[in-house]
Amino acid sequence: VKKTVLSLSLLSLLCGSVAFAQSSVATNPVGFISITVNGGSSTTPVLTLISPTLTNPIAYQSTVQSVSGTTITITGASFTANEFNGSNGTFYVEDVSTSQGGTGVLCDITATGSNSVTTAQDISSMVTAGDTLIIRQHITIGQFLGTSNTYGLQGGTSATSADEVLVYDGSSQNTYWYYNGSLGGTAGWYDLNFASASGVTIAPFQGVVIKRKTSGNVTITSTGTVKTGNTFFPVVNGLNVLGTVSAQGLTLGTSGLYTGTSSGVTASTSATTADEVTVYGFSNGSSTQSNYWYYNGSLGGTAGWYDLNFTPSGSVALAPGAAFVVNRKGGGAFNWSLPAPTSF
Amino acid sequence: MKKLTIFAAVAFGAMSASSHATSVGFSATPADRTLLTATSTNVPAGDLVLEGVFTNPNSFTYNPAISIAANVANMSSFGWQQFGLNPSNQSSEGSGSLQADTVFSGTVVGGSVTDVSGTPGSGQNASYFDNKQVYLVVFNGTTIAGSTQMGVFTSTSWTFPTNAGGLGDSITYDTSTTYNVTDVGNAGSVSNTGGPNSSGTLQLAAGVPEPSTLATLFGATGFLALLRRRRTE
C-alpha cells in the first residue's frame, strides 16, 4: 500500500478550505477538510450537520481466500488475536473489487483469527474468493474533535449547557458532550450516562449534528485518507442523517441517490409523496433547511431534482465535511451507492 | 458502546423503520442532585428511571402502605404516561433508557429515550407528549415489580420538544440545582444541598417491604411467637 503525504499548508493555499494530497502513483491520498460549525445561543442552539468524510489509513490489504457466513479468510494473513477488534479499537472491512455486486460494501469486524476476520453481518452474498479486501479503523469522536476538545466546542458541567454532539444511526441518535473537569474528575468527551466517549466510533455513513449553544463559529479540521472507489451506505425507512465519504464533493445530480429503481430514493409528482433530501444551512444567526425531491416527469416537463419551489436543483452541493438528511417515506431500505470520486 | 455500524443490505431488517424521532435526555454529571434511597444510601447504579407526562399530578398522593406497582398503577389513573410507549396500547415504540448512573461517589439520573413514532402534529404517539412537562419516576430496583421505594420529580423547566419530524426534536436536561425540581404527591423529597456529590439530593419515599423482607419479618415474628408459646406452656 502506497501512501503519499504532501504539505497540508501548501495544499491549503492551493485548494482553499478543501484540500487533498496525491501523487501520480497515490492509492491513498491524504489531506484535510475544514468544517465550520456555526455559532448559536443557549436559547436558540444552531444545528450544523457534519461528517468526518475522510477515513483512517488502510490498516491491512489483501485478497479474499474464502468466505463462509460471517467468516472471511484472507490470503497470506497472519494476524494476532483481536488485532482488529476489542481493545485495539473498532475496525471494518471493505470489499473494493468483486464480481458479486458488493464493491464498496463495508462491515464491522467483531473478531480476528490468525488468518481471518469475523464480520458483524453475513456479507457472503456480496463477497467472493479473489476479491480485494481492505481493513480500516473507524474514526472516533476523540480523533474527530480532539480528545481535549481541540477546536473549542463549548464544554461544561452537563450536556444541558455544553454544545451537544449527536451521532445518528438512522433516526436514532446518541448524545455526547465535553465535560470541562471543573467539578473534579477527568475532563473529556462523555455520553449522557457520564461514560467516557472519546473512543466512540463515527461510521462513514453516520452524520454528526453539532448543537451549538454559544456564539462564535468553530472550525473543525478533519484529517485523514481520501476514500476512493464506490461505497455503499444504508438508507432505511424514515429519517437518515447521512455523512459522506466523498472528498470530491457531490451534487444531488451526481450523488447516485436517484437510480430510477428501488435502490434509490422514490420519485413522485410532489414532495409530499416523494422521498425528500434536506440540506441544512445557516442564515441570520439561525439554522436553515432546504428540501429537495425527485420529480418523475409523469405530469410533463423534465424529470429531475427540484426544490419546494419547483426550481431545478440537480446542482445543489452535498459538500465534503457536511451531512444531510434523507427522509425515506416507506419505499423500503436500500444501499445508496456513492460513486467513486473522479478527482480529489 | 455505540451500536456497531451495519452496511450490508442483508442487515437492513434490523434497523429502525420510522419517520420521526423525539428524544429527551438527562445528562448524568457531577453537578446533578444525588439519588438517595429512603435510608439515605445511594440508589444502586442501573436502577430504573422513567420519564413521561402526568396530566393530573395534583390528584396523586403516594401511598406507602401499598406496593410500588400499585402506586404506579394509581399514577396511571391520574394521567401518567411513560414516554416511549404508545399512549393507546402501551406498546413500546422507543429506544434508549434512563437509569441511575454512578458519577464519582454518588448516583444520578442519566440516559436518553427516543420515541420513533407518530405523524408530526397528529396528537398521536410521540406527538402526544409535545410541549408537556416532563416527570421523572425513580425506583430503587431495575424493575417496577422489584422496587420497594420510588420518587416522582419534576420541574416546570423540563418540557418535551415538539415532534416536528426533523432534527431539532431532541433536548437534554439534567437534575442539577439549575432546575427548580419538586417532588410530586409526596413521592420522595428534594434537597438543594448535601449528597455525595454535594449537589443536592433526590430522595425516594419508603414503601412496603419487598417480599423477601416480608418473609424474613414473618419468619422472625413466627419464631418469637413460638418462643412465647413454649414459655407459656
Side-chain angles (χ1 to χ4, degrees):
Chain A
V1 176
K2 296 176 181 176
K3 302 178 183 177
T4 58
V5 182
L6 296 183
S7 164
L8 297 182
S9 58
L10 173 61
L11 284 168
S12 177
L13 290 172
L14 292 173
C15 305
S17 62
V18 180
F20 306 97
Q22 64 175 339
S23 73
S24 59
V25 293
T27 56
N28 273 323
V30 300
F32 68 91
I33 299 172
S34 296
I35 305 168
T36 300
V37 175
N38 299 302
S41 69
S42 59
T43 54
T44 310
V46 165
L47 305 181
T48 304
L49 279 65
I50 66 175
S51 63
T53 301
L54 303 177
T55 68
N56 276 317
I58 296 171
Y60 189 84
Q61 177 172 334
S62 186
T63 56
V64 174
Q65 180 176 313
S66 63
V67 56
S68 175
T70 58
T71 301
I72 300 176
T73 303
I74 300 173
T75 305
S78 180
F79 300 142
T80 58
N82 300 318
E83 184 169 343
F84 300 120
N85 59 276
S87 59
N88 286 329
T90 307
F91 293 72
Y92 59 96
V93 295
E94 177 185 1
D95 190 330
V96 298
S97 71
T98 181
S99 58
Q100 298 295 102
T103 299
V105 66
L106 316 174
C107 197
D108 280 354
I109 295 171
T110 59
T112 312
S114 60
N115 66 344
S116 66
V117 293
T118 302
T119 54
Q121 306 294 330
D122 182 351
I123 56 172
S124 58
S125 64
M126 308 174 84
V127 176
T128 192
D131 292 355
T132 300
L133 200 74
I134 63 177
I135 295 174
R136 297 179 199 264
Q137 187 168 14
H138 274 298
I139 298 287
T140 64
I141 286 179
Q143 184 180 358
F144 186 39
L145 302 176
T147 54
S148 300
N149 191 20
T150 304
Y151 307 107
L153 290 171
Q154 177 164 260
T157 56
S158 83
T160 311
S161 56
D163 290 345
E164 293 178 72
V165 178
L166 285 64
V167 180
Y168 275 79
D169 187 351
S171 61
S172 297
Q173 49 88 8
N174 288 302
T175 300
Y176 307 98
W177 59 288
Y178 190 81
Y179 169 56
N180 60 19
S182 64
L183 299 176
T186 305
W189 294 101
Y190 288 87
D191 66 13
L192 293 183
N193 296 114
F194 207 63
S196 178
S198 188
V200 167
T201 60
I202 303 170
F205 76 93
Q206 289 186 301
V208 177
V209 177
I210 306 289
K211 198 173 192 177
R212 183 144 170 84
K213 302 170 183 173
T214 190
S215 60
N217 295 348
V218 169
T219 300
I220 294 170
T221 303
S222 177
T223 59
T225 302
V226 175
K227 171 76 173 63
T228 59
N230 186 68
T231 310
F232 281 147
F233 278 6
V235 177
V236 299
N237 277 341
L239 206 66
N240 296 265
V241 185
L242 297 171
T244 171
V245 289
S246 180
Q248 180 186 11
L250 299 168
T251 66
L252 287 173
T254 63
S255 66
L257 278 167
Y258 176 75
T259 61
T261 70
S262 59
S263 294
V265 295
T266 300
S268 187
T269 55
S270 84
T272 308
T273 49
D275 291 344
E276 289 181 89
V277 173
T278 304
V279 178
Y280 279 70
F282 182 75
S283 177
N284 296 324
S286 301
S287 302
T288 61
Q289 62 183 74
S290 301
N291 288 16
Y292 305 96
W293 59 289
Y294 200 92
Y295 169 56
N296 60 18
S298 66
L299 301 178
T302 305
W305 288 100
Y306 289 87
D307 66 13
L308 298 185
N309 299 116
F310 208 63
T311 303
S313 302
S315 61
V316 167
L318 304 174
F324 61 98
V325 175
V326 173
N327 189 3
R328 178 77 165 156
K329 299 176 181 174
F334 67 90
N335 275 326
W336 170 31
S337 180
L338 277 77
T342 55
S343 64
F344 310 115
Chain B
M1 182 155 182
K2 191 168 81 64
K3 179 181 176 182
L4 293 176
T5 56
I6 303 171
F7 300 90
V10 291
F12 279 163
M15 298 187 74
S16 158
S18 60
S19 296
H20 314 289
T22 303
S23 296
V24 178
F26 276 81
S27 179
T29 88
D32 281 346
R33 291 180 173 93
T34 302
L35 295 176
L36 295 180
T37 66
T39 54
S40 297
T41 59
N42 283 328
V43 171
D47 277 3
L48 180 66
V49 180
L50 303 178
E51 61 183 348
V53 301
F54 216 154
T55 56
N56 195 11
N58 294 332
S59 298
F60 168 73
T61 301
Y62 176 71
N63 184 352
I66 62 175
S67 69
I68 295 302
N71 271 288
V72 173
N74 196 26
M75 286 170 56
S76 297
S77 66
F78 294 113
W80 161 254
Q81 175 60 51
Q82 183 183 332
F83 183 58
L85 300 184
N86 186 318
S88 299
N89 57 22
Q90 305 304 308
S91 62
S92 176
E93 53 189 20
S95 61
S97 63
L98 299 184
Q99 63 180 31
D101 287 311
T102 300
V103 175
F104 296 173
S105 59
T107 55
V108 301
V109 176
S112 179
V113 176
T114 298
D115 191 315
V116 293
S117 68
T119 302
S122 68
Q124 299 298 312
N125 302 344
S127 299
Y128 171 87
F129 299 89
D130 286 359
N131 304 312
K132 292 177 179 171
Q133 189 168 326
V134 178
Y135 289 78
L136 292 178
V137 188
V138 184
F139 301 90
N140 70 330
T142 55
T143 63
I144 295 174
S147 299
T148 58
Q149 300 173 20
M150 64 181 286
V152 185
F153 308 101
T154 190
S155 170
T156 55
S157 299
W158 299 340
T159 55
F160 283 92
T162 300
N163 175 30
L167 291 182
D169 309 345
S170 70
I171 197 158
T172 304
Y173 298 112
D174 60 55
T175 59
S176 71
T177 54
T178 301
Y179 295 99
N180 179 26
V181 178
T182 57
D183 66 87
V184 177
N186 296 322
S189 59
V190 180
S191 170
N192 293 327
T193 59
N197 294 339
S198 300
S199 304
T201 60
L202 300 177
Q203 188 159 19
L204 307 190
V208 295
E210 60 185 331
S212 59
T213 308
L214 278 175
T216 303
L217 287 172
F218 181 78
T221 305
F223 179 70
L224 290 173
L226 182 62
L227 284 178
R228 184 181 303 164
R229 184 177 176 183
R230 283 182 175 172
R231 285 174 182 165
T232 303
E233 290 173 353

